[in-house]
């Protein structure tokens, strides 16, 4: 039997007020996702599609308009006060900019110790031992505990922020572009840290990223998001080999080559039109205004997710046809 998800998000919507009455930014629109322990799951999509809002709503930094978040089968939104705080602590957010989670007036040791205290570790000796262990786990020497975050390099600082998140024994880490701010040379090292942690701690990781190459390497499954909605999801290898939603095909056709010399000559595909506003998203399929395959019926109904292969589904009326063809529509259009 398949392992039960540690995190289950059901029909979640998050909206923000605009200056206009009755108008909202529909940042996350009826999204359902699941994470299992020991799994790294990618969440990709262009800027403004709602990735951070989804992550922030899961950890309770934003309030869900509708929908449910379950942690180990317990619905988080239903809990209040202390119980809610304690349960939610099991879901930790790792920010792109580690300054957001590190207090500059505290040493790294003090920051981690504070988290351990919140987690209920009363004994001073145990806390000291735990700080050393956590620093070691993220690949930092124990001397770092007496340093301030501004004294660390970008990579060290992100490692320290991760150690702080781990101090409360999380079951889930929401990592929001955790390596984007780092130099290329240290990105791979911090990525390897996530891979190690997943194995060692059996934690579930939602890995939010622009860089599809990174997601492909690190995650076993991927969700593709467009204008507040999940348009396709599936096992990474399968989704990358055979993307079956026009938007995913577009995203993947614009992944830069590993070799920068070929990248320069590469013609990138274009999407028609602008990204629509999440205040007034298109009716029916959200992608229809930019889709090369658009048909009349796309404006009438939101396409139901179609299963194209095991655990792989795409919310497009032509999903099965695209999956069977195994050829990107963007390649065809370029050749035409
Ligand atoms: N606090 C807020 N108030 C109003 N609108 C917001 C707020 N936070 C986000 N939004 C809007 O919600 C939409 C989704 O934003 P979000 O930051 O979740 O996107 P993202 O996918 O994380 O983008 P990026 O890749 O640039 O980080 C955007 O249109 C954004 O402008
Ligand atoms: Mg974001």
């Amino acid at each position: 039997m398949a392992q039960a998800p540690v995190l289950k998000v059901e029909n979640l919507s998050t909206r923000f007020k605009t200056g206009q009455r009755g108008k909202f930014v529909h940042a996350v629109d009826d999204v359902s996702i699941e994470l299992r322990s020991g799994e790294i799951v990618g969440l990709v999509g262009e800027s403004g599609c709602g990735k951070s809002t989804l992550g922030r709503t899961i950890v309770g930094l934003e309030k869900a308009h509708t929908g449910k978040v379950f942690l180990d089968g317990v619905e988080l939104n239903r809990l209040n006060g202390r119980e809610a705080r304690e349960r939610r602590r099991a879901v930790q957010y790792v920010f792109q900019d580690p300054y957001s989670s590190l207090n500059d007036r505290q040493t790294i040791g003090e920051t981690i110790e504070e988290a351990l205290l919140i987690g209920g570790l009363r004994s001073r000796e145990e806390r000291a031992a735990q700080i050393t262990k956590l620093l070691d786990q993220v690949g930092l020497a124990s001397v770092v505990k007496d340093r301030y975050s501004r004294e660390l390099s970008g990579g060290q600082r992100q490692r320290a922020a991760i150690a702080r998140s781990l101090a409360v024994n999380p079951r889930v880490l929401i990592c929001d572009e955790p390596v984007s701010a780092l130099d290329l040379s240290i990105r791979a090292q911090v990525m390897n840290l996530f891979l190690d942690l997943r194995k060692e701690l059996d934690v579930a990781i939602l890995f939010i990223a622009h860089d599809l190459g990174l997601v492909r390497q690190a995650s076993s499954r991927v969700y593709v998001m467009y204008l507040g909605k999940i348009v396709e999801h599936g096992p990474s290898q399968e989704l990358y080999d055979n993307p079956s939603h026009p938007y995913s095909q577009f995203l993947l056709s614009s992944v830069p080559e590993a070799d920068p010399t070929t990248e320069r000559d590469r013609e990138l595909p274009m999407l028609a039109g602008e990204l629509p506003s999440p205040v007034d998203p298109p009716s029916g399929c959200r992608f229809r205004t930019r889709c090369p395959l658009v048909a009349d019926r796309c404006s009438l109904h939101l396409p139901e997710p179609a299963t194209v292969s095991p655990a792989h589904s795409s919310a497009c009326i032509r999903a099965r046809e695209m999956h069977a063809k195994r050829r990107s529509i963007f390649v065809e259009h370029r050749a035409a």
Side-chain angles (χ1 to χ4, degrees), residues 2-66:
Q3 186 196 3
V6 51
L7 183 83
K8 195 166 161 57
V9 171
E10 254 180 35
N11 307 104
L12 195 78
S13 297
T14 308
R15 60 189 205 179
F16 298 105
K17 286 188 177 143
T18 62
Q20 272 177 291
R21 250 185 93 190
K23 291 253 178 200
F24 297 92
V25 179
H26 298 281
V28 175
D29 192 358
D30 198 20
V31 163
S32 300
I33 65 170
E34 288 183 0
L35 301 187
R36 292 181 170 71
S37 302
E39 142 176 272
I40 300 185
V41 175
L43 176 63
V44 300
E46 70 200 292
S47 188
C49 72
K51 304 178 297 295
S52 297
T53 306
L54 174 58
R56 292 171 60 84
T57 311
I58 294 171
V59 297
L61 290 168
E62 306 291 351
K63 196 172 172 302
H65 174 58
T66 54

Side-chain angles (χ1 to χ4, degrees), residues 137-195:
Q137 213 157 32
V138 299
L140 291 174
S142 66
V143 289
V144 168
K145 72 180 192 302
D146 299 318
R147 308 246 164 93
Y148 289 88
S149 59
R150 60 176 177 273
E151 298 173 315
L152 305 181
S153 70
Q156 288 176 320
R157 206 177 295 130
Q158 190 57 292
R159 286 176 193 271
I162 295 165
R164 191 211 156 275
S165 308
L166 296 178
V168 294
N169 286 321
R171 306 265 292 126
V172 178
L173 290 181
I174 311 271
C175 301
D176 195 348
E177 313 222 22
V179 299
S180 319
L182 303 178
D183 289 343
L184 272 183
S185 57
I186 34 186
R187 277 189 192 181
Q189 294 169 16
V190 177
M191 279 314 296
N192 283 334
L193 172 61
F194 284 115
L195 292 171

